[in-house]
Amino acid sequence: MISTNDLRAGVTVELDGQLMTVVDFQHVKPGKGSPFVRTKLKNIKTGYTVEKTFNAGEKLPRAHIDRHEMQYLYHTGDEYVFMDNTTYEQHHLSKEMLGEGVKFLKDGMIVQAASHEGSLFGVELPNFVDLKVIETDPGLRGDRAQAGTKPAKLESGAVVQVPLFVDEGQLIQVDTRTGEYLKRV
């Protein structure tokens, strides 16, 4: 059990039989009345978010999430195949279960798989990945001094905004949480 006073972003709780992750929270202490906690919760399996208010000090059942390393192998249609690095068992996950991070997956990538009571429900990518630029407009000689950006298609299929000096064939580092270019590698 976890108290609503201890809720933080990223904490997973069970609510009405569903796994919910705290996306946002706010402790409110009104002038009159008792304090309460306003939260925004995301359903892990469906991806829907709900806003819920709890009394301060209320207890919620905390969900225990198991995390272990898996390796991304390949995808077929909307199914992505991952291999457990300890048992060599293969698991199929849908595109909806993976969310936006799917556009940064590349073959052989090691990810953290999350499961609850033996049921795999998602993966967490590394915060930063190195990807090769396969298509972008060429940078012009005068563009290097200005701080402009241009779209670049990466080997994983993702399109990110990069500085004008980045050319095709170069490796760049991308933040998988925000989808932003960080630096050349």
Side-chain angles (χ1 to χ4, degrees):
M1 298 295 266
I2 185 170
S3 170
T4 54
N5 296 332
D6 298 328
L7 288 180
R8 300 287 177 260
V11 171
T12 307
V13 296
E14 281 188 61
L15 195 62
D16 301 328
Q18 299 289 321
L19 286 179
M20 308 291 265
T21 299
V22 178
V23 176
D24 192 24
F25 67 97
Q26 180 181 17
H27 293 279
V28 180
K29 297 175 188 168
K32 276 189 168 180
S34 59
F36 59 92
V37 179
R38 201 177 280 139
T39 62
K40 185 183 282 188
L41 304 166
K42 179 179 179 182
N43 187 317
I44 289 178
K45 297 196 179 190
T46 63
Y48 293 113
T49 58
V50 299
E51 292 187 10
K52 192 122 172 112
T53 303
F54 300 99
N55 291 325
E58 192 174 330
K59 300 282 186 187
L60 298 171
R62 186 174 194 152
H64 295 286
I65 306 298
D66 298 321
R67 299 187 195 295
H68 55 282
E69 280 190 352
M70 292 186 104
Q71 182 178 12
Y72 171 63
L73 299 177
Y74 62 91
H75 80 278
T76 56
D78 279 349
E79 290 222 329
Y80 292 78
V81 181
F82 295 86
M83 179 181 67
D84 190 324
N85 287 347
T86 55
T87 64
Y88 302 109
E89 188 177 335
Q90 292 186 4
H91 299 276
H92 298 262
L93 293 176
S94 68
K95 189 174 186 176
E96 292 80 32
M97 292 174 81
L98 297 174
E100 289 294 314
V102 74
K103 60 186 175 184
F104 299 112
L105 280 174
K106 70 178 191 178
D107 294 343
M109 181 182 280
I110 302 295
V111 297
Q112 289 292 319
S115 61
H116 177 69
E117 296 177 353
S119 173
L120 187 67
F121 62 83
V123 297
E124 296 172 0
L125 277 77
N127 291 339
F128 311 108
V129 293
D130 297 340
L131 296 167
K132 187 176 186 178
V133 176
I134 60 168
E135 185 180 317
T136 188
D137 294 332
L140 300 175
R141 185 175 176 102
D143 288 341
R144 299 186 190 283
Q146 297 176 1
T149 61
K150 62 183 178 180
K153 186 173 181 182
L154 306 177
E155 64 183 306
S156 64
V159 176
V160 297
Q161 293 293 320
V162 298
L164 296 170
F165 57 80
V166 173
D167 293 323
E168 288 182 14
Q170 291 183 331
L171 275 177
I172 63 168
Q173 193 171 72
V174 179
D175 188 335
T176 58
R177 299 165 295 187
T178 62
E180 294 178 355
Y181 162 88
L182 294 175
K183 63 181 180 179
R184 281 191 293 188
V185 179

